[in-house]
Amino acid sequence: MIEQGKSLGTKIKPAATSNKHSKAKASRTSHLSSILLGFLVPGSILILWQIAGGLGWISSTMLPTPLQIALSFRDLIISGELFGHMQISIARAASGFLLGAGLGLLFGTLVGFLRRFEQTLDPTFQMLRMIPHLALTPLFILWFGFGETSKILLIAKGAFFPMYVNTFLGIRGVDLKLFEVAKVLEFSHFKQLIRLVLPAALPNILLGLRLSLGVAWLGLVVAELMGSSEGIGYMIQDARQFTQTSVVFVGIIIFAAVGKITDSFVRYLERKLLRWRDSFNG
């Protein structure tokens, strides 16, 4: 009997190992197929675009081919101009985002957790939220000039409100029964905030972070186009004046690529921090 048990054990282990390998292989295949599906539409557009441009159906001045854009990209990299502009733009966007999103998280927490702060601050914030970027741009130039301060504050203004609104909604969406349990356990306000409110509001806060990054990147475009001598926005503006359409496309691609990278990073954080959440994946 013992010998039979040993032989059964040796048979079961390889089967379990092979099952794990097959699951890992299936997961890798699924991930690869999702990446390929993501590239299907843009890849098809690029091929058709190149064919149409190569046959002369589209003017290269109005719409340069992907190959011409790639050559401009290469020239900007070799000259070092692209990295210089990118470094300045990323520094501006990061500074404005950290300022705006940090204040949005702080005030969203205060307004969501304390009703008196909501009654005092929320009406003003909601009114300011409705003012578009372009309407504030001339005022920021008058107050702060064309320097870095006006650009960073304009980016911060855009990053503030998505984080503020989503933090506020996340806190107010916490189940009331959890607060009742916290009262029974005699949690202080600080303990309620750290152990109860913020973990429960985390999905909304991460959504606010994602939206804030997107709006900060859009705010950077407005800030650099309004008057700048450096940055990707300036590079686009300068190329437009000299009808260098391919360089304009390089700038647009840079904005799109960096925006996608930051968005993917937040989605990665969501997967790591919200493992406990069971949600529909399509």
Side-chain angles (χ1 to χ4, degrees), residues 142-191:
L142 284 171
W143 286 349
F144 307 108
F146 285 100
E148 293 299 307
T149 304
S150 59
K151 295 176 179 61
I152 290 170
L153 289 177
L154 196 64
I155 295 165
K157 184 261 178 189
F160 174 85
F161 291 105
M163 181 61 82
Y164 166 76
V165 171
N166 280 280
T167 303
F168 170 72
L169 292 175
I171 290 171
R172 289 301 171 90
V174 177
D175 193 344
L176 192 60
K177 291 177 182 177
L178 295 176
F179 283 100
E180 292 172 0
V181 172
K183 284 181 182 178
V184 172
L185 295 173
E186 297 181 349
F187 278 10
S188 64
H189 283 300
F190 180 74
K191 209 169 183 180

Side-chain angles (χ1 to χ4, degrees), residues 20-118:
K20 283 181 182 178
H21 283 307
S22 61
K23 281 183 179 179
K25 189 177 179 181
S27 176
R28 284 195 297 270
T29 306
S30 174
H31 184 62
L32 182 62
S33 64
S34 67
I35 291 172
L36 291 174
L37 282 172
F39 277 104
L40 180 63
V41 174
S44 303
I45 291 170
L46 286 174
I47 291 167
L48 292 172
W49 182 0
Q50 181 64 44
I51 291 169
L55 294 172
W57 295 348
I58 304 171
S59 169
S60 61
T61 305
M62 298 297 293
L63 192 66
T65 63
L67 182 60
Q68 290 172 320
I69 296 167
L71 291 173
S72 295
F73 205 110
R74 184 201 63 185
D75 293 341
L76 288 167
I77 290 172
I78 291 170
S79 67
E81 185 181 349
L82 183 63
F83 291 117
H85 288 308
M86 272 186 67
Q87 186 178 1
I88 290 161
S89 291
I90 289 170
R92 282 173 183 158
S95 302
F97 167 75
L98 290 172
L99 177 62
L103 290 173
L105 179 63
L106 174 64
F107 283 106
T109 304
L110 290 173
V111 170
F113 203 58
L114 301 169
R115 185 172 290 276
R116 183 160 293 184
F117 275 93
E118 180 188 4

